[in-house]
Amino acid sequence: MSAETSVPRPRESGLDISDSALFKGLMAEAPYAFAFFDVSGRFVRVNSTFTELTGMPVDRHIDRFPADILSADLANVIDSALRRIGDDRLPVTDQRLRTRAENGDTRHWTISFFPLHDDEGAAIGTSLFGVDLTERQNTEDDLRRSEERYRSLVQSQQQLVWITSPSGAVMEDAPEWRAITGQGLEEYLAHGWLDAVHPDDRAAAEEAWREALRGRTMFEWSYRVRTRASGYRDFEVRAVPIIRHGRVIEWVGANSDVTAQREAEEMRGRLTDQLGAAALRTARLQGATAILAEALTVEQVVQVIIDVGRTALAADHSAVALLDPDRGTLKVINSGAIPDAGGAPGEDISLSRSSVMTMAVNSRRPVFAESPESLRAQLADAGGETDQINGFLAHTQERAWVGLPLLAAGRALGALRFSFTRPQKISQEDGVFLEALAGQCALAVERATLFEREHRTAETLQRSLLPERLPVVRGLVLAQRFRSGSRHVQVGGDWYDAFVLQDGRVAAVVGDVMGKGVKAAAGMGRIRNAMRALALTNPPPAAVLTGLDRVFEATEEEEQVTTLAYMVVEPTTGEGTLALAGHPPPLLVSPQGTAILQECEPGTPLGWATSRKQFRFSVPPGHTAVLYSDGLVENRKRGLDAGLRELSAVVAEAPEEILTSPHMLLDFLVDRMLSGYEQDDDVTVLAVHVPAATKSD
């Protein structure tokens, strides 16, 4: 127990609580909460500070059991501690509680229990000491929020921040810096940021840094940094001393990646040299090819083309259209594109109507129109109607156009369109570059189309294997939320299920088959079906997991990893059992906003040789048990432990009306836990709520 929360342990011999005037005065004046219990667990004495914890007057406590007068959460903590003292005869210390005062404010307490004995060593009761930690907790919360704002500000600036001691030695980890450089933690703490600087730049950078340390002046420099991929990027750094009471207590630095700016400057320089024109076009094509190779979806491909049109071609407008061969039409993908003659925003462009893109698709050749007169002639030769051509040219500000067919193995996939608000000379070298760009774009579109098709197939398969609706059971309320990973992420193997067993109890399960795509979704289906069959035959959780281990070994690949949480619960009473197979523990939410993570052995994923265990798990009336997949609490920026702490904190912030509605509670948890993070995995949540008993019940 920390120094500010500990209290002196009472003397255990020669103490007569019932006759001691000294204790009466002490209990009345002490700033701590005191309570004394007899050996049966009844209240004997309490002081006024203890009533702030319970919200009841002193006389209501005397000769009463905690469960008779206190809230379920507080009574459970006290009863559990009294039982442990009765069994072990050892103190139970530092039990944390959160209560709500009459004015609605949340109070934080730490309470400790100590056994009392007479001179012969016989137990005569138990003492309770409590300390109000609300002010300290609020201070810690304010500090945490301040640190979160600071981290958010740093991340929003896209800078790599590091901290050193007054002498320049590294003080703490800089994960963003190590992610760029590939340095290990030990390497970074031992040698710091200078170890990643280019050898040709290091000596000058180190001398400038030492000079800044000696003079306590701002350090500003630039150098090349070795990246994880063994290449180098340009960085600018600025570090300032933090001075307190005339002494430097630390240095805070921020590195900015200026590679893009340097490359742009070099590119502008090469443009002044006619001999470097070919190299510049090659560099642009390679850059576009590299970015297109990373594009997973058609939407990402379109964005790359728009960026290339703006940067490499200085185009004012860029458009990508995909061909529907069955309908004989082109569909413009990016809504901000300027339409050709014969098409309007949001409408399909028929291949029978003349336009820059339809000409490119029909002829399988590039279309270059360096002026309105050139476009007029080409549209007329393609069979365009004169009135439509004149109407388009009269109302558009465009003065030059490029149309490029997207061809894959000779098959047309669509077309690109770039336009300029000034006449544009298209050289032979420019034409070669544009045709090569269109070829790379066609490959990217074909690859992205296949990816999106597989994504839709896997998502459809995944959703088809999930239950259409949850069972309606008297004495229980079931709710679920399933949110598939973003369309830029392949579908995973998350699943949930709930069904009524033969004895009237309800089985609830949430599982996660690791992996992505159709394979993971199919594996999920096999495990889910086996789960149902085993549960309906032999429902105890430990027996079901043991059976699933055998099924898993027989049907799944050795490297496949699958986790799940399975519970069986009795309607109305909420009594049940739970077993985990390497899955995060369930969360029990009370009507007062207390969140308790079930403490039990997490077990191993399915298929690993182990002796499966099950645990008693109770959902008291008015409470809600929440099963969830790791996508709710874990992502690229938040580890599992931090996510579990944040989940409990989010529950504490939920309004009272949400805590009693499992559907509203799940919406609240999912929205708050994903807020501020890019969803990179499926999110599956299942709630089992036992309604509070009413007079009619």
Side-chain angles (χ1 to χ4, degrees):
M1 185 180 297
S2 60
E4 66 268 25
T5 61
S6 63
V7 294
R9 178 172 177 174
R11 298 175 61 89
E12 296 188 358
S13 62
L15 182 63
D16 189 347
I17 297 173
S18 62
D19 298 327
S20 176
L22 174 61
F23 263 86
K24 291 182 180 179
L26 178 62
M27 292 171 62
E29 300 297 333
Y32 303 107
F34 287 88
F36 299 90
F37 304 87
D38 61 19
V39 292
S40 67
R42 289 186 174 88
F43 284 100
V44 177
R45 292 282 182 86
V46 299
N47 70 345
S48 58
T49 304
F50 184 83
T51 64
E52 297 177 13
L53 191 152
T54 65
M56 297 182 182
V58 171
D59 53 45
R60 286 284 303 279
H61 299 76
I62 308 306
D63 292 330
R64 304 288 294 276
F65 289 104
D68 296 338
I69 59 172
L70 303 183
S71 65
D73 293 336
L74 180 56
N76 287 339
V77 171
I78 294 176
D79 288 342
S80 175
L82 294 179
R83 285 195 299 270
R84 289 173 59 185
I85 287 177
D87 294 339
D88 304 331
R89 305 188 69 181
L90 295 174
V92 177
T93 60
D94 201 21
Q95 302 293 295
R96 298 300 180 99
L97 286 175
R98 183 173 57 230
T99 62
R100 193 178 299 276
E102 293 182 358
N103 61 1
D105 293 342
T106 298
R107 304 282 295 276
H108 299 269
W109 298 82
T110 178
I111 60 175
S112 300
F113 300 82
F114 300 92
L116 299 176
H117 306 86
D118 59 18
D119 293 336
E120 285 73 32
I124 61 173
T126 301
S127 61
L128 176 152
F129 299 83
V131 179
D132 189 343
L133 301 179
T134 303
E135 183 175 352
R136 190 185 74 177
Q137 183 68 39
N138 292 339
T139 301
E140 292 175 351
D141 291 343
D142 291 341
L143 178 59
R144 176 178 53 81
R145 285 191 291 269
S146 177
E147 292 174 345
E148 290 173 348
R149 295 189 189 104
Y150 169 76
R151 287 195 298 271
S152 299
L153 178 61
V154 170
Q155 292 174 356
S156 68
Q157 297 298 319
Q158 297 183 342
Q159 293 182 326
L160 308 178
V161 177
W162 46 269
I163 300 175
T164 74
S165 67
S167 65
V170 173
M171 292 177 57
E172 59 185 61
D173 189 15
E176 293 82 4
W177 172 265
R178 293 195 298 104
I180 295 295
T181 64
Q183 289 179 293
L185 178 58
E186 293 183 359
E187 178 187 3
Y188 176 69
L189 294 177
H191 304 289
W193 56 271
L194 278 169
D195 197 48
V197 175
H198 192 284
D200 294 343
D201 300 341
R202 175 165 180 166
E206 186 170 9
E207 178 57 29
W209 171 234
R210 297 303 174 194
E211 184 65 26
L213 291 175
R214 289 190 293 267
R216 303 199 307 179
T217 58
M218 180 183 297
F219 171 62
E220 291 183 286
W221 207 255
S222 61
Y223 41 70
R224 289 164 291 175
V225 172
R226 183 186 68 249
T227 66
R228 182 187 294 272
S230 298
Y232 284 90
R233 296 183 69 82
D234 293 291
F235 277 81
E236 289 183 351
V237 60
R238 174 177 294 181
V240 296
I242 306 301
I243 300 175
R244 183 180 300 163
H245 304 307
R247 296 176 58 251
V248 175
I249 61 172
E250 64 182 14
W251 287 75
V252 178
N255 284 48
S256 301
D257 187 342
V258 296
T259 306
Q261 295 92 310
R262 296 286 173 82
E263 290 176 348
E265 292 171 2
E266 294 174 359
M267 184 175 294
R268 285 194 295 269
R270 287 196 299 269
L271 287 174
T272 63
D273 188 353
Q274 294 298 323
L275 295 177
L280 176 60
R281 284 189 291 269
T282 301
R284 286 170 172 172
L285 180 60
Q286 289 175 342
T289 300
I291 300 174
L292 286 170
E294 298 177 357
L296 292 178
T297 67
V298 173
E299 180 182 332
Q300 290 177 335
V301 173
V302 170
Q303 187 58 51
V304 172
I305 294 302
I306 293 174
D307 292 341
V308 171
R310 181 177 62 252
T311 58
L313 304 177
D316 296 292
H317 302 292
S318 304
V320 180
L322 297 184
L323 174 65
D324 184 343
D326 296 330
R327 300 177 59 191
T329 58
L330 287 173
K331 180 72 173 181
V332 179
I333 302 302
N334 49 321
S335 59
I338 303 299
D340 283 320
E347 295 182 0
D348 292 340
I349 302 175
S350 173
L351 292 179
S352 63
R353 306 186 69 172
S354 296
S355 69
V356 170
M357 288 192 288
T358 58
M359 285 191 297
V361 172
N362 289 331
S363 66
R364 304 293 199 274
R365 298 172 61 86
V367 175
F368 302 126
E370 300 176 345
S371 65
E373 292 72 21
S374 175
L375 180 63
R376 187 192 308 274
Q378 294 185 59
L379 290 175
D381 291 343
E385 297 182 5
T386 303
D387 291 343
Q388 289 184 347
I389 297 173
N390 292 336
F392 168 70
L393 293 176
H395 291 90
T396 184
Q397 295 181 348
E398 299 171 329
R399 289 296 176 265
W401 298 262
V402 173
L404 301 166
L406 298 178
L407 305 176
R411 179 171 56 91
L413 302 178
L416 302 182
R417 179 185 189 274
F418 301 109
S419 61
F420 310 83
T421 57
R422 62 199 177 282
Q424 183 78 11
K425 180 67 176 178
I426 307 297
S427 67
Q428 183 177 1
E429 292 79 6
D430 292 333
V432 172
F433 167 76
L434 290 169
E435 289 190 61
L437 176 64
Q440 294 299 319
C441 183
L443 294 175
V445 166
E446 186 175 40
R447 183 174 59 252
T449 301
L450 291 174
F451 170 83
E452 291 185 341
R453 185 180 305 156
E454 180 183 355
H455 181 92
R456 289 192 298 269
T457 301
E459 186 172 16
T460 301
L461 175 60
Q462 184 182 32
R463 290 188 178 276
S464 69
L465 293 172
L466 298 176
E468 294 184 2
R469 62 182 62 86
L470 297 176
V472 178
V473 182
R474 181 178 177 82
L476 282 183
V477 178
L478 301 174
Q480 60 81 18
R481 293 296 182 270
F482 175 79
R483 185 177 294 185
S484 177
S486 67
R487 64 188 301 264
H488 297 171
V489 179
Q490 290 188 337
V491 174
D494 275 20
W495 57 285
Y496 66 89
D497 202 0
F499 48 92
V500 181
L501 301 172
Q502 294 180 353
D503 58 6
R505 292 182 298 166
V506 173
V509 60
V510 166
D512 186 0
V513 178
M514 304 302 176
K516 304 293 182 183
V518 175
K519 183 177 180 180
M524 176 266 284
R526 291 191 295 270
I527 298 301
R528 173 183 176 271
N529 291 337
M531 170 87 196
R532 277 212 171 201
L534 290 168
L536 292 173
T537 304
N538 188 15
V544 171
L545 294 192
T546 300
L548 284 177
D549 284 333
R550 292 193 293 268
V551 172
F552 197 90
E553 292 176 355
T555 63
E556 305 304 312
E557 298 179 1
E558 183 176 352
E559 65 273 11
Q560 179 62 59
V561 177
T562 298
T563 68
L564 62 83
Y566 170 52
M567 63 179 294
V568 176
V569 63
E570 183 79 32
T572 305
T573 67
E575 296 296 327
T577 51
L578 165 73
L580 300 178
H583 205 79
L587 183 74
L588 184 63
V589 179
S590 75
Q592 293 78 28
T594 301
I596 301 175
L597 287 169
Q598 177 69 16
E599 295 184 0
C600 60
E601 184 177 328
T604 58
L606 293 181
W608 294 30
T610 183
S611 177
R612 296 297 179 182
K613 298 179 181 180
Q614 64 186 33
F615 306 89
R616 180 177 176 273
F617 184 69
S618 176
V619 187
H623 290 59
T624 304
V626 180
L627 306 177
Y628 52 91
S629 65
D630 59 0
L632 180 69
V633 294
E634 189 176 20
N635 53 47
R636 294 189 183 98
K637 295 184 178 180
R638 180 176 61 197
L640 179 60
D641 292 339
L644 293 175
R645 290 193 297 270
E646 187 171 340
L647 180 62
S648 298
V650 167
V651 171
E653 298 172 0
E656 184 176 352
E657 62 273 13
I658 287 180
L659 296 171
T660 57
S661 169
H663 296 280
M664 295 173 62
L665 176 61
L666 294 191
D667 288 334
F668 183 81
L669 293 180
V670 173
D671 291 343
R672 292 292 296 274
M673 290 299 293
L674 297 185
S675 177
Y677 298 99
E678 180 181 357
Q679 183 183 348
D680 52 19
D681 197 2
D682 292 345
V683 173
T684 306
V685 193
L686 180 64
V688 179
H689 175 72
V690 178
T694 62
K695 293 182 178 180
S696 60
D697 295 335

